[in-house]
Amino acid sequence: MSNATAETAPLMFQAPSDALLRVEDVALSFGQVRALKTVTMHARRGEVTAIVGDNGAGKSTLVRCISGVHRPDSGVIEFDGAPVNFRSPEDAREEGIETVHQNLALVEDLTVWQNLFLNRELMRGFGPVKFLDRRAMKREAATMVSSLAVNVPPVASRVRRLSGGQRQAVSICRAAGFTSKLIIMDEPTAALGVQETARVEELIQRLRDEGHAIILISHNFDQVLRLSDAVWVMRAGRCVAGRRTAEIDGDEIVGLVTGARPGDLPAEKLQGDLT
Ligand SMILES: Nc1ncnc2c1ncn2[C@@H]1O[C@H](COP(=O)(O)OP(=O)(O)O)[C@@H](O)[C@H]1O
Ligand SMILES: [Mg+2]
């Protein structure tokens, strides 16, 4: 509501030239439900970009547009300097966008290394005769897992035997390997205990320090303040505010999420809310 905020904050809606991801005026409806009305935001390399908002605000729908699950009805998504129009999550993955799913999407009956290489198996052989290179996959999996902050059992153990935190670590490891540039995490610690959460947070910080861009959806505002470099607040299908995390506090986040604070969008972008 303060004028200072209204004058300075809209600058966040102008993506810097070095932004890895730029989303501009993206809209998506499911039938009558306008899940995304018009969303503008961006994310940078080497930063954790948080997205917060109430249930139903459109957070998951937005990241599903970025990761190729949904195709926006309108708007522009630019990634690494070029407009993209992903037709599937595989398309997005090829460009370096990986997602860690909310529901810990690992296959219980496969081992850690098999999960890490699921759908991107290493092959060996010549010409048309190809074999799975199990030895190489186990070796690489061991290297990937050994770099984790979380204690993960041998790569030959079945995922069924892992704790929630270990599973999440394997999911993140899977997303972080394989030349990803942007890693999207939708509530990565929602199902975890305090200690496991701390470990996963360490892992997120390490990936950030290695130069990955991370998009973190979280309901835990303390976690957002602790981990993120920038925060976008979604409300009713819009990003209503974007801030550097250093310049926002918990009260302001809560106000923006609930609507007690109006946010920074110019009036013309808010039209249509009464329809
Ligand atoms: N596949 C879908 N089909 C129909 N409606 C959907 C679908 N996905 C999300 N929605 C609706 O879009 C809105 C935004 O949902 P969502 O993006 O999941 O919000 P959030 O992740 O912020 O809780 C909600 O009203 C939700 O019911
Ligand atoms: Mg969601």
Side-chain angles (χ1 to χ4, degrees), residues 115-161:
N115 268 281
L116 287 172
F117 284 94
L118 195 62
N119 294 325
R120 43 193 164 193
E121 290 81 5
L122 299 181
M123 309 297 282
R124 65 187 170 85
F126 298 98
V129 188
K130 297 260 193 250
F131 303 94
L132 288 176
D133 196 341
R134 291 169 201 278
R135 199 191 296 174
M137 285 189 277
K138 281 185 203 169
R139 194 176 54 229
E140 281 200 31
T143 309
M144 287 161 79
V145 166
S146 70
S147 70
L148 290 174
V150 181
N151 239 343
V152 171
V155 294
S157 0
R158 296 200 188 273
V159 160
R160 175 180 295 294
R161 305 183 49 178

Side-chain angles (χ1 to χ4, degrees), residues 30 33 35 53-62 64 70:
F30 299 106
V33 179
D54 242 336
N55 284 335
K59 306 179 297 296
S60 295
T61 304
L62 170 61
R64 288 190 194 122
H70 298 315

Side-chain angles (χ1 to χ4, degrees), residues 187-202:
E187 296 281 355
T189 60
L192 304 185
V194 176
Q195 265 189 339
E196 290 189 323
T197 295
R199 295 253 171 80
V200 169
E201 287 185 1
E202 275 173 45

Side-chain angles (χ1 to χ4, degrees), residues 21-270:
L21 171 77
R22 199 170 71 84
V23 172
E24 193 178 328
D25 288 336
V26 160
L28 177 63
S29 294
F30 299 106
Q32 302 285 22
V33 179
R34 294 171 69 207
L36 302 179
K37 287 168 185 157
T38 160
V39 174
T40 297
M41 55 85 67
H42 63 267
R44 300 166 83 169
R45 292 177 184 80
E47 292 196 350
V48 174
T49 300
I51 302 177
V52 299
D54 242 336
N55 284 335
K59 306 179 297 296
S60 295
T61 304
L62 170 61
V63 296
R64 288 190 194 122
C65 286
I66 297 167
S67 66
V69 176
H70 298 315
R71 299 180 80 177
D73 297 330
S74 57
V76 178
I77 299 178
E78 271 183 22
F79 187 70
D80 213 358
V84 291
N85 192 359
F86 300 132
R87 261 169 285 149
S88 67
E90 289 70 37
D91 275 1
R93 185 174 295 148
E94 259 170 46
E95 295 298 317
I97 299 177
E98 291 277 351
T99 307
V100 177
H101 291 280
Q102 206 163 5
N103 52 1
L104 311 175
L106 297 175
V107 184
E108 298 242 323
D109 283 323
L110 295 182
T111 64
V112 169
W113 73 264
Q114 285 169 324
N115 268 281
L116 287 172
F117 284 94
L118 195 62
N119 294 325
R120 43 193 164 193
E121 290 81 5
L122 299 181
M123 309 297 282
R124 65 187 170 85
F126 298 98
V129 188
K130 297 260 193 250
F131 303 94
L132 288 176
D133 196 341
R134 291 169 201 278
R135 199 191 296 174
M137 285 189 277
K138 281 185 203 169
R139 194 176 54 229
E140 281 200 31
T143 309
M144 287 161 79
V145 166
S146 70
S147 70
L148 290 174
V150 181
N151 239 343
V152 171
V155 294
S157 0
R158 296 200 188 273
V159 160
R160 175 180 295 294
R161 305 183 49 178
L162 306 192
S163 73
Q166 289 174 326
R167 287 169 195 226
Q168 193 59 295
V170 172
S171 300
I172 294 173
C173 198
R174 188 180 140 91
F178 312 107
T179 67
S180 61
K181 297 172 188 160
L182 171 65
I183 303 172
I184 297 171
M185 306 193 194
D186 195 343
E187 296 281 355
T189 60
L192 304 185
V194 176
Q195 265 189 339
E196 290 189 323
T197 295
R199 295 253 171 80
V200 169
E201 287 185 1
E202 275 173 45
L203 193 49
I204 293 172
Q205 279 167 319
R206 247 225 357 253
L207 295 173
R208 181 242 318 265
D209 295 344
E210 285 169 4
H212 288 92
I214 315 244
I215 289 183
L216 172 71
I217 295 180
S218 178
H219 279 104
N220 180 338
F221 297 158
D222 286 335
Q223 177 176 68
V224 166
L225 291 171
R226 214 167 37 236
L227 273 189
S228 73
D229 301 281
V231 189
W232 294 94
V233 181
M234 287 194 75
R235 197 165 70 221
R238 296 189 173 89
C239 273
V240 296
R243 294 276 195 287
R244 300 303 296 174
T245 307
E247 292 161 9
I248 197 169
D249 60 23
D251 285 346
E252 191 174 3
I253 294 182
V254 171
L256 288 164
V257 165
T258 58
R261 288 171 188 258
D264 308 324
L265 281 175
E268 70 265 21
K269 295 263 188 190
L270 286 168

